[in-house]
Amino acid sequence: MSELKVLDHLMLADGELFHNSKGRACPAPRPLAPVADTHAHLGSLHGHDPALALARAALAGVRMMVMPIDPVAEFPRKWADAAALWDFLDTHLAIARDCLDEAAGLGFVPPAFDGWDAPDLLSNVRIVAGVHPYGAEGFDGAAEALMRELLASPRCVGVGEIGLDFGPYNEVSPREQEECFRRQLRMAHELGLPVELHIRDGVDDMVGEAHALAVRVLAQEGVPEAGCDLHCFTSDARIMEDFCRLGCNIAFGGASTFSRSEDIRDAARVCPERLMLTETDCPYMAPVPLRGEECEPAMVVFVADMLARERETAGVAPAAQTYASLWRNACKLFGL
């Protein structure tokens, strides 16, 4: 890869990783500890090359990435079989490694974290596998067999994203969604794996019906001993508390940085320190100051920075303490 291509695609010519659609630099915060993107759809990026996105994440301070894989929605549309998925990852990880090596030759290196035993990001990209509520009707024997193959891989660290979606884009009945959710929770128990949950309430649902049902299902089936992550949290503290009482982690993403998301930030300020996580859910919901752009894993550093600043300003914890907890929580949940 030529010097020009490295500088152009990694956007390092002016020393900055991030630029908005007008080409203006958006300086990245300097993380006070390694950062984890616990939910990133690397295979769904359109405007970013996956390999370059991995390299940029490493340069931003990201040291863990978890990629959800759906055996119903993504096979064979995106990957013909599990071997094709592993080839996708191996290929882009190798290109990302070459890119980082060239960037280092130009003087750009990932940040070091004194006192932290932080792995190299490219050695710490993992998957979770599960059927999204949109695909609950397609969770047949073949899909389960493929899912079990994915879950058996040493790259796999959990079951997800699974759950309930009562939003306007899901035509699957609540009954079928619940049945699929319960089946996958039982698989997580059987295999000793944590779960990542996707829970979305209906439009104008002030009660939180989907979240309430998810809490009941978790109480009945049991939260997996390995743990649980409420992915893409966009609700308020009242709803969050029900999941916290069950010991579920709460994952905050780009939506928590939006100007109208004070209810999410309120929840983040009171979330138990041991349960907080960071994610992007890329390519969706890029955080401020890059809202409106295609999200990528590197942008998780803006989420971590916001959480640390909010909690420090509220007198909950020093910023460094929040950063440390976010990293340790991710490592604990995914056994890394």
Side-chain angles (χ1 to χ4, degrees):
M1 187 177 292
S2 70
E3 176 176 326
L4 178 62
K5 187 172 184 181
V6 170
L7 293 176
D8 180 45
H9 287 283
L10 291 180
M11 299 184 183
L12 290 169
D14 59 359
E16 298 292 348
L17 277 172
F18 301 101
H19 298 75
N20 63 22
S21 58
K22 296 181 180 179
R24 294 175 182 166
C26 299
R30 179 79 175 182
L32 302 180
V35 181
D37 185 355
T38 60
H39 196 100
H41 296 273
L42 189 70
S44 297
L45 294 173
H46 299 290
H48 293 99
D49 177 271
L52 291 167
L54 287 166
R56 284 158 53 78
L59 290 169
V62 181
R63 292 292 179 271
M64 177 197 302
M65 195 201 84
V66 179
M67 176 181 173
I69 302 297
D70 190 326
V72 168
E74 297 182 304
F75 294 84
R77 179 177 59 85
K78 198 173 290 183
W79 297 290
D81 51 26
L85 167 63
W86 308 138
D87 182 64
F88 167 87
L89 282 173
D90 289 338
T91 298
H92 287 94
L93 286 167
I95 296 171
R97 176 71 64 195
D98 290 342
C99 192
L100 284 175
D101 288 344
E102 293 210 21
L106 300 171
F108 300 101
V109 296
F113 301 103
D114 292 339
W116 290 90
D117 184 17
D120 171 73
L121 171 63
L122 303 185
S123 302
N124 208 21
V125 174
R126 299 291 186 267
I127 73 161
V128 292
V131 178
H132 189 284
Y134 287 178
E137 289 177 316
F139 191 32
D140 56 17
E144 180 174 341
L146 175 57
M147 181 171 163
R148 286 184 177 275
E149 179 181 356
L150 296 170
L151 295 175
S153 167
R155 296 180 189 254
C156 191
V157 291
V159 174
E161 58 189 285
I162 65 174
L164 303 165
D165 191 311
F166 294 173
Y169 309 112
N170 196 3
E171 298 179 356
V172 181
S173 72
R175 180 188 60 78
E176 288 174 301
Q177 291 186 52
E178 181 181 347
E179 180 182 353
C180 182
F181 182 23
R182 288 181 184 272
R183 283 176 60 192
Q184 293 181 94
L185 271 176
R186 291 167 188 164
M187 288 176 66
H189 280 286
E190 172 195 342
L191 299 171
L193 292 170
V195 294
E196 282 200 337
L197 304 182
H198 169 103
I199 311 295
R200 179 182 291 152
D201 296 315
V203 176
D204 299 324
D205 177 1
M206 304 303 293
V207 177
E209 183 180 355
H211 283 85
L213 177 56
V215 167
R216 291 199 298 273
V217 170
L218 287 169
Q220 292 165 3
E221 298 288 344
V223 174
E225 186 176 345
C228 177
D229 162 15
L230 183 56
H231 139 71
C232 193
F233 183 77
T234 55
S235 299
D236 56 25
R238 173 184 58 86
I239 286 178
M240 181 188 74
E241 288 168 358
D242 290 335
F243 289 87
C244 289
R245 278 192 288 270
L246 291 170
C248 298
N249 289 88
I250 310 297
F252 296 92
S256 63
T257 70
F258 299 169
S259 60
R260 296 184 180 181
S261 295
E262 193 60 31
D263 55 343
I264 307 177
R265 288 189 289 276
D266 286 342
R269 285 188 282 267
V270 300
C271 183
E273 188 173 276
R274 72 185 190 283
L275 298 178
M276 297 181 68
L277 296 171
T278 50
E279 65 164 58
T280 58
D281 197 19
C282 71
Y284 316 108
M285 295 182 292
V288 173
L290 293 158
R291 186 176 183 183
E293 308 297 324
E294 180 178 78
C295 191
E296 59 173 313
M299 295 179 188
V300 74
V301 297
F302 290 103
V303 178
D305 178 66
M306 182 280 298
L307 292 172
R309 285 187 291 104
E310 286 288 330
R311 289 171 70 87
E312 183 169 77
T313 300
V316 177
Q321 182 175 320
T322 296
Y323 267 102
S325 296
L326 290 167
W327 173 249
R328 291 189 179 115
N329 295 343
C331 291
K332 179 181 178 182
L333 181 65
F334 296 111
L336 300 174

